[in-house]
Amino acid sequence: MLISGWQTPLELLREELIQLEQEGRVVPDSLRKEVETLVAEKEPWAARIEEVAAQLTGLPMRPEWPYEEPDELDEIRRLRPAGPRVLSLNLSDGEMLERFHGAWRGRCVGCALGRPVEGKTRDWIRTLLIARGEWELNDFFRGGDSKLWAPASQRENIRCMEPDDDIHYTLIGLRVMEKKGADFRWDDIANCWNSHLPYNAICTAETQAILNYNMLHPRCSGYAPSIATPEFTRRHNNPYREWIGAAIRADFWGYAAAGNPELAAEFAYRDGSWTHVKNGIYSEMFVAALISAAFVESDPVRLVEIGLSEIPANCRIAEAVRRALEWRKECADWESFMEKIDRHYGTLSWVHSINNLLIVLMALFYGDSTIDRNTALAVMGGADTDCNGATAGSITGILNPVSRLAERQNDTVEPQFIGEGTCRMRKLAERTLAVWKQIRNR
């Protein structure tokens, strides 16, 4: 039986072919031609799709494949480099509250700043802003162009943080930790999605994973244990398993385990390992560890090194991050750095985990440690602009909560989240502080 989810079965098959090759699998030319024929014939629900998909399972790895990329936490930890694991955090509750508030503010500013140009290229964004006399970006996008998205996040209309998955997932982290504490399981996340997120608010790998989960979790069973496993939910019919979706869910785990990057990475692993594999998981672990460390460290290079210490040393995303550290020494400005990203990773999907993480790092390397400038750089980099702006803003807001743009959102979030109505960012920060204190004292 053909089952789709985010895209049609044919589109899923085409994406699976790409994903397998990126994972290092040897794809026979005969299978590649079969997929090309189906694409050319434009038969999105053809019966042959299942036959071809079955032949894609169990393909051998390329013999020269140089990476070690496990999906299980014990193996990931075995392959990670040395790191601090726990940092000395000596801030008062009042200081922590301000940092949590800054993190929420920064995440919301960056998300809203990037929403109107989500999916646009760096060149498209530059061309638009130059034509308007507004290059480089230092304000929310002005409306008036039919190709811009999200009117409620445009300059003329903005008054709050409108519904967006980048904010919904941070709320999910808060809700799960409030209800389950530090011992939450991966299926607690899945059940929370079912209870609080409309299906249409979930995208790509998350769409496929929750569909997989629910196929093995009858609705009438309530919260009874499911027979679904992370191995099934993250892989079955899920060619988006190394895309950015896990990384955008990292932030709250870093908040909850502030000062404890190893624990933050473990929380992120539990969250990411049922929807993603390999570098999709590592991207979330990296970001969570980096955010956790930002409550103690402020130097971007040191933060990146701590993020690297929680993921396998010999994986593709670690290789990319190490390249980024070298590019930082070579590139005089952020656009030169972006040229390097385009040259090395320009063939990846605009929502892949690797290229988008490098855009976030670009913003941290070349920004001025303010929410407004760092998020603007992340957005001007193009690709998944709202996600990258949100992550850059979250990190920067911990270090420096001041933001002119944040004032325009009136400290208000209006999510599309069942059971969580309009809320103040300050209140979210207070709830985050309570969670962090619970984790710290356990």
Side-chain angles (χ1 to χ4, degrees):
M1 176 182 177
L2 292 174
I3 298 174
S4 59
W6 179 247
Q7 292 177 296
T8 68
L10 178 56
E11 289 165 323
L12 291 174
L13 178 63
R14 183 179 59 81
E15 292 288 358
E16 179 65 19
L17 196 68
I18 295 169
Q19 173 61 27
L20 288 170
E21 291 178 326
Q22 290 176 349
E23 287 181 358
R25 299 285 176 179
V26 178
V27 179
D29 287 340
S30 58
L31 285 179
R32 189 179 291 105
K33 290 176 182 177
E34 185 78 12
V35 173
E36 290 171 357
T37 299
L38 285 165
V39 171
E41 293 174 355
K42 298 181 180 179
E43 297 182 53
W45 294 86
R48 276 192 301 156
I49 292 172
E50 283 189 293
E51 299 171 10
V52 177
Q55 297 176 64
L56 293 177
T57 59
L59 293 177
M61 295 292 292
R62 296 207 300 265
E64 75 281 8
W65 190 248
Y67 305 105
E68 294 180 277
E69 298 178 330
D71 293 330
E72 303 306 322
L73 183 60
D74 58 346
E75 285 296 295
I76 292 170
R77 285 180 165 172
R78 183 179 66 82
L79 295 171
R80 66 184 173 172
R85 311 304 176 216
V86 180
L87 303 169
S88 179
L89 177 56
N90 299 305
L91 298 175
S92 68
D93 286 357
E95 291 170 320
M96 290 297 293
L97 178 61
E98 293 307 311
R99 293 191 177 216
F100 288 134
H101 192 201
W104 280 100
R105 280 160 54 93
R107 186 155 186 80
C108 290
V109 165
C111 182
L113 196 65
R115 274 181 60 80
V117 292
E118 182 179 7
K120 299 293 193 294
T121 66
R122 180 164 57 99
D123 288 342
W124 192 95
I125 295 168
R126 184 200 299 112
T127 299
L128 173 73
L129 291 174
I130 288 175
R132 293 178 165 192
E134 296 178 357
W135 180 261
E136 292 180 346
L137 182 67
N138 65 4
D139 201 344
F140 295 107
F141 281 88
R142 178 163 50 86
D145 188 301
S146 62
K147 294 185 175 63
L148 292 175
W149 306 99
S153 289
Q154 293 173 16
R155 190 183 309 172
E156 299 86 347
N157 306 319
I158 194 161
R159 59 179 180 81
C160 67
M161 180 64 240
E162 65 172 312
D164 187 88
D165 56 351
D166 293 272
I167 308 304
H168 293 155
Y169 289 127
T170 316
L171 291 170
I172 287 284
L174 173 59
R175 180 62 64 101
V176 167
M177 293 296 278
E178 286 177 332
K179 297 294 184 183
K180 297 292 183 177
D183 296 324
F184 75 91
R185 293 164 37 93
W186 70 271
D187 51 350
D188 292 322
I189 302 287
N191 291 331
C192 193
W193 288 16
N194 276 334
S195 297
H196 297 288
L197 290 183
Y199 182 69
N200 282 349
I202 300 173
C203 304
T204 60
E206 287 71 24
T207 300
Q208 300 305 128
I210 197 66
L211 182 62
N212 292 338
Y213 178 75
N214 288 330
M215 285 194 297
L216 298 181
H217 185 65
R219 178 68 183 87
C220 67
S221 66
Y223 288 100
S226 169
I227 65 169
T229 64
E231 294 82 0
F232 175 75
T233 57
R234 68 191 174 211
R235 283 195 173 272
H236 178 68
N237 215 27
N238 186 3
Y240 318 111
R241 54 189 179 266
E242 286 193 289
W243 285 13
I244 196 175
I248 71 174
R249 304 180 346 234
D251 293 55
F252 194 82
W253 316 122
Y255 305 164
N260 191 334
E262 180 178 53
L263 183 60
E266 179 183 335
F267 288 163
Y269 174 83
R270 290 185 224 163
D271 177 73
S273 60
W274 70 282
T275 60
H276 286 72
V277 303
K278 302 178 185 292
N279 297 278
I281 298 173
Y282 311 152
S283 64
E284 182 170 4
M285 296 178 71
F286 175 94
V287 172
L290 189 158
I291 286 174
S292 171
F295 289 87
V296 178
E297 301 279 353
S298 59
D299 177 65
V301 172
R302 180 58 180 152
L303 291 175
V304 168
E305 290 171 346
I306 293 172
L308 283 172
S309 75
E310 294 297 336
I311 65 174
N314 190 26
C315 66
R316 281 166 285 151
I317 207 163
E319 176 186 70
V321 171
R322 289 192 297 269
R323 281 177 175 166
L325 290 171
E326 293 302 313
W327 296 343
R328 178 179 178 270
K329 300 173 186 176
E330 301 169 9
C331 298
D333 54 59
W334 71 270
E335 290 195 273
S336 300
F337 189 98
M338 285 300 310
E339 292 293 336
K340 296 275 192 180
I341 296 176
D342 292 344
R343 192 172 308 129
H344 284 81
Y345 301 103
T347 60
L348 293 177
S349 166
W350 66 272
V351 281
H352 201 279
S353 60
I354 294 176
N355 48 352
N356 282 286
L357 179 61
L358 297 188
I359 294 174
V360 172
L361 299 187
M362 174 276 290
L364 299 180
F365 291 158
Y366 293 92
D368 62 2
S369 298
T370 66
I371 289 172
D372 296 353
R373 177 57 176 169
N374 287 14
T375 56
L377 282 173
V379 170
M380 288 188 292
D384 205 342
T385 50
D386 62 330
C387 296
N388 297 335
T391 302
S394 179
I395 298 164
T396 308
I398 295 167
L399 305 174
N400 177 10
V402 176
S403 169
R404 170 179 54 88
L405 297 181
E407 301 306 316
R408 310 254 284 282
Q409 293 182 313
N410 297 307
D411 205 50
T412 301
V413 178
E414 292 188 358
Q416 188 183 10
F417 188 102
I418 300 166
E420 191 80 62
T422 299
C423 47
R424 307 286 288 181
M425 297 175 199
R426 183 77 177 188
K427 181 63 177 178
L428 294 172
E430 291 170 356
R431 291 166 61 186
T432 304
L433 175 65
V435 167
W436 172 73
K437 291 173 69 174
Q438 176 190 9
I439 300 302
R440 180 190 59 179
N441 296 326
R442 72 187 180 113

